[in-house]
Amino acid sequence: MDKIVIEGGGRLEGAVVISGAKNAVLPIMAATLLTAGQNEIDGVPRVRDVITMLRLLNDLGARTESFERGHIVLDTSGVNNYEAPYELVSTMRASCLVLGPLLARLGRAKVSLPGGCAIGARPLDLHIRGLEAMGAEIRLEQGYIYGSVKQLKGTRYYFDTVTVTGTANLMMAAALAEGETVLENAAKEPEVVFLADVLNQAGAKIEGQGTDTLVIQGVPSLKPIDCRIFPDRIETGTYMIAAAITRGDVEIQNCVPLHVEPLTLKLRQAGIIVDNNGTSLHVNGDSPFEGVNITTQPYPGFATDLQAQFMALMTLAKGQSIIFETVFENRFMHAAELNRMGADITVQGHTAVVSGVGQLSGAQLMATDLRASASLVLAALAATGESTISRVYHIDRGYLDMEEKLSRLGAKIFRTK
Ligand code: UD1
């Protein structure tokens, strides 16, 4: 298995270009199942999760006409299979995004339950109850969700918890349902707003995106999708923190500053200089920085997907930082690894108390999930000596060309088999 080796201690300098958002492209790819024709998606990062979703769509009968230079052409005319097998869903939970579209398109779905994952139980109960409220019959058997319905019907549904893929799943199902669907306590993430906008361009009637309440008037059919994916806000935030943690000076190009505003404000509060230049951000970490507290929340709160990376930064801050994770119940796996590098982190339940230390030292590290892996890379960049990170397939799931991008900024990073 691949490992990443990092010789830490250097300062990152230069410019990095952000790729298309993984979490935006996955629901859009699932949404192509709602159409029967040639869909075109531009700005697609060729990361492992995208390849997994493509494999799944091909299994379902869609045909990949081409995937070159970030442009996917996907023909969904022949979609006829309704099974998302365990092998695919277990490697990528977002495979569950095909559940709503399959019920809307074929009236049937068999989707594996994702099972537990490193960052918590992450059930699909809210997706399932919502689809039942739309008239689908759902049963769970042998680890699979079996769904069937003649015609999905509009409904009024309240999400007990804000769920990103849950909102996307029900929005896609409602787009082709009969009548009006109202989704309350809906997710407001940019990826959800984008999905609504793209579906509307394809002929859907969705209002309220970006607010707690989505109102969807079902339509009989949609035109194929044609869109360009916006820059990845989690990749943006990861490089912002990379600049700060290495006391570097980095221009982060092709990003949407508004999408990372909570992080920008927290970095500034800590003493890091962040300049917003419209479509780029300039981060300078020359001055010493202080510990600040964060609480993760659904958008527009501080993203849980940036919590691990921010914790890595706080290990080197002056003073203490309290990190409160409210979105997932078990998302501090990186803390133990950071402590092995000399950090001082105490975890109790949903709270981590980080006491800044003067220096981290390189170590042999193990990645546990996608964003935890990124936090280890960041810590290793700042540490003295060499670090080796194993299980880097987690990084490949969501970061395009991470070693190349960091190398260009001056990092000493390479991959071994
Ligand atoms: C999405 C993102 C992921 C991010 C997360 C939170 C994608 C592909 N993934 O994941 O990167 O970390 O949002 O911003 O976009 N929950 C339930 N029942 C459900 C559904 C969710 O209890 O049916 C709970 C989860 O266990 C979790 C919380 O709701 O505690 C939020 O999860 P959710 O927003 O659904 O995360 P994902 O959509 O899987």
Side-chain angles (χ1 to χ4, degrees), residues 78-95:
V79 169
N80 54 3
N81 180 14
Y82 54 84
E83 178 174 345
Y86 177 73
E87 297 77 69
L88 293 178
V89 182
S90 62
T91 61
M92 186 186 65
R93 188 189 141 82
S95 312

Side-chain angles (χ1 to χ4, degrees), residues 382-404:
T384 53
E386 186 179 284
S387 296
T388 310
I389 304 171
S390 52
R391 298 202 182 161
V392 294
Y393 51 83
H394 288 296
I395 293 181
D396 298 334
R397 285 189 44 209
Y399 286 95
L400 187 68
D401 301 336
M402 192 185 224
E403 293 115 84
E404 288 82 351

Side-chain angles (χ1 to χ4, degrees), residues 23 93 122-127 161 163-165 305 327-328:
N23 285 354
R93 188 189 141 82
R122 298 177 90 178
L124 292 179
D125 55 325
L126 303 176
H127 303 229
T161 305
T163 156
V164 176
T165 49
D305 282 353
V327 179
F328 290 110

Side-chain angles (χ1 to χ4, degrees), residues 22-24 26-27 49 53 92-97 117 119-129 157 159-168 187 189 191-192 233-234 297-299 302-306 325-331 350 370-371 397:
K22 167 184 90 75
N23 285 354
L26 296 175
D49 277 6
M53 184 58 96
M92 186 186 65
R93 188 189 141 82
S95 312
C96 70
L97 283 164
C117 76
I119 62 173
R122 298 177 90 178
L124 292 179
D125 55 325
L126 303 176
H127 303 229
I128 293 170
R129 269 192 261 144
Y157 184 72
F159 288 101
D160 289 339
T161 305
V162 176
T163 156
V164 176
T165 49
T167 303
E189 269 64 7
E191 295 77 16
V192 174
R233 64 194 167 100
I234 307 303
Q297 273 166 347
Y299 193 86
F302 192 100
T304 173
D305 282 353
L306 285 171
E325 170 62 56
T326 74
V327 179
F328 290 110
E329 71 266 35
N330 185 20
R331 204 172 197 180
H350 286 261
L370 172 55
R371 307 306 172 184
R397 285 189 44 209

Side-chain angles (χ1 to χ4, degrees), residues 86 134 160 170-171 188 299 329 331 337 369:
Y86 177 73
M134 296 176 77
D160 289 339
L170 293 198
M171 188 202 296
K188 295 179 278 202
Y299 193 86
E329 71 266 35
R331 204 172 197 180
E337 292 298 277
D369 69 65

